[in-house]
Amino acid sequence: MATVYLDGNFLDDSEAKVSIHDRGFLFGDAVYEVVPVYRGNPFRLARHLDRLRESLAAVAIDCPLGDGEWATIIARLLAEAHGHEYSVYIQVTRGVGVGRDATRTQGLRPTVLVSISPVSIDRTLLASGIRAALLEDIRWHHCRIKATALLGNVLLRREALQRGAAEALLIRDGELTEGSSSNVFAVLDGVLRTAPPDERILRGITREVIIELACACGIDVREQAVSAAQLASVQELFICSSVREVVPVIQIDANAVGDARPGPVTRRIMQEFAALKARFKGDS
Ligand code: PMP
């Protein structure tokens, strides 16, 4: 049992109900945000709210709440939570429509759901690294929008799991763009490379943090995708996201990445991320 916020009310999740006419349910006409919480405080909340506004603007849904209101709702949900590491989930749909008429959107009031859930990161995976599967990106062309319509991502992740891998790395136009639920960094010829922030990727907040950290410690970072052909020469590779943080990838399909161990750049970024997190939590 957990408390959630739904359209102005704080309710037990078993009592929170959304209409079958809600456009989020019918058409996936909705966007979302996921914010990590460390020791009770949302990390980079302002940036997550910026991205939420960008996603909403891109699909022409008015942002229903101001930054202060989002922060108050989140604080209230977290005040009732026990434990330290959570993620906050925000979902905004275009609202409850008129039957299945996709075109009638005038005057709808967005449906707003905010919930929290505990996160536990598998630290053994972080130390050893994961296997990934390389798959052609089957998603739509506006991956910059954090849309709840995640069918493509779900199918790709399923395919990866069926192949014994923990993440799908996606190829579009012959280039490595992102993971099915993560951004990707690769070390090639001593340069840390990640795909540029265009429509083919979600502009991950963790990606942004990693670029900052890498620049601050003198690592040469370039927002330039690695091609599928270059993958065989990549020395290191890792994925990142708000809920998984930084995870080394040591094998892609049957091929080892580098010497199949988390490499020095990856380990440095993991250390820097852990230090940033510790500072945020007030541990150091
Ligand atoms: N790309 C995709 C497709 C994702 O689903 C996610 C996770 N939401 C990310 C990248 C990483 O974004 P963030 O660091 O903001 O969690």
Side-chain angles (χ1 to χ4, degrees), residues 104-155:
R104 287 171 65 181
T105 57
Q106 214 64 356
L108 301 187
R109 187 169 50 85
T111 301
V112 178
L113 171 69
V114 187
S115 62
I116 59 168
S117 46
V119 172
S120 63
I121 293 178
D122 187 341
R123 300 277 155 199
T124 47
L125 275 190
L126 297 192
S128 59
I130 59 163
R131 288 163 61 191
L134 197 61
L135 298 172
E136 194 63 36
D137 197 346
I138 55 164
R139 300 172 305 161
W140 71 333
H141 289 280
H142 301 286
C143 299
R144 181 182 172 170
I145 302 170
K146 200 162 168 60
T148 62
L150 289 169
L151 187 55
N153 308 57
V154 168
L155 294 178

Side-chain angles (χ1 to χ4, degrees), residues 33 44 47-48 51 203-209 242:
E33 219 11 89
R44 301 270 163 131
R47 292 293 301 124
H48 282 277
R51 187 173 65 183
R203 293 168 191 217
I205 307 299
T206 322
R207 171 187 179 279
E208 198 174 283
V209 170
S242 294

Side-chain angles (χ1 to χ4, degrees), residues 20-256:
I20 60 160
H21 300 296
D22 193 281
R23 293 178 59 96
F25 174 65
L26 287 178
F27 308 119
D29 190 359
V31 301
Y32 76 111
E33 219 11 89
V34 177
V35 189
V37 175
Y38 303 138
R39 192 160 290 157
N41 291 309
F43 182 66
R44 301 270 163 131
L45 178 60
R47 292 293 301 124
H48 282 277
L49 293 178
D50 285 346
R51 187 173 65 183
L52 175 64
R53 268 191 303 273
E54 283 164 22
S55 294
L56 286 165
V59 299
I61 297 177
D62 288 335
C63 190
L65 298 170
D67 279 13
E69 290 166 303
W70 290 117
T72 305
I73 294 166
I74 292 168
R76 167 133 177 219
L77 292 175
L78 289 172
E80 293 181 21
H82 306 286
H84 291 318
E85 302 224 334
Y86 282 87
S87 61
V88 175
Y89 181 89
I90 300 176
Q91 175 166 335
V92 182
T93 85
R94 198 178 302 278
V96 177
V98 185
R100 291 198 47 86
D101 187 344
T103 60
R104 287 171 65 181
T105 57
Q106 214 64 356
L108 301 187
R109 187 169 50 85
T111 301
V112 178
L113 171 69
V114 187
S115 62
I116 59 168
S117 46
V119 172
S120 63
I121 293 178
D122 187 341
R123 300 277 155 199
T124 47
L125 275 190
L126 297 192
S128 59
I130 59 163
R131 288 163 61 191
L134 197 61
L135 298 172
E136 194 63 36
D137 197 346
I138 55 164
R139 300 172 305 161
W140 71 333
H141 289 280
H142 301 286
C143 299
R144 181 182 172 170
I145 302 170
K146 200 162 168 60
T148 62
L150 289 169
L151 187 55
N153 308 57
V154 168
L155 294 178
L156 288 161
R157 187 82 184 269
R158 266 174 67 94
E159 179 66 31
L161 293 180
Q162 275 163 9
R163 295 184 187 193
E167 176 60 303
L169 299 182
L170 307 179
I171 296 289
R172 192 174 281 198
D173 313 322
E175 293 184 333
L176 176 63
T177 52
E178 64 174 348
S180 70
S181 61
S182 56
N183 290 116
V184 184
F185 284 81
V187 178
L188 184 66
D189 300 328
V191 178
L192 185 59
R193 302 255 300 257
T194 192
D198 57 25
E199 289 290 334
R200 299 181 301 176
I201 69 160
L202 180 76
R203 293 168 191 217
I205 307 299
T206 322
R207 171 187 179 279
E208 198 174 283
V209 170
I210 287 167
I211 292 175
E212 269 171 43
L213 293 174
C215 289
C217 56
I219 295 170
D220 192 0
V221 196
R222 222 168 288 163
E223 289 180 295
Q224 182 190 4
V226 163
S227 71
Q230 287 172 323
L231 265 182
S233 320
V234 153
Q235 290 103 37
E236 299 181 39
L237 197 137
F238 62 85
I239 58 167
C240 65
S241 78
S242 294
V243 287
R244 288 196 279 184
E245 300 179 4
V246 181
V247 184
V249 174
I250 52 160
Q251 192 178 324
I252 303 173
D253 295 331
N255 310 310

Side-chain angles (χ1 to χ4, degrees), residues 3-14:
T3 303
V4 302
Y5 169 95
L6 179 65
D7 292 336
N9 302 303
F10 289 89
L11 309 162
D12 191 83
D13 60 357
S14 61

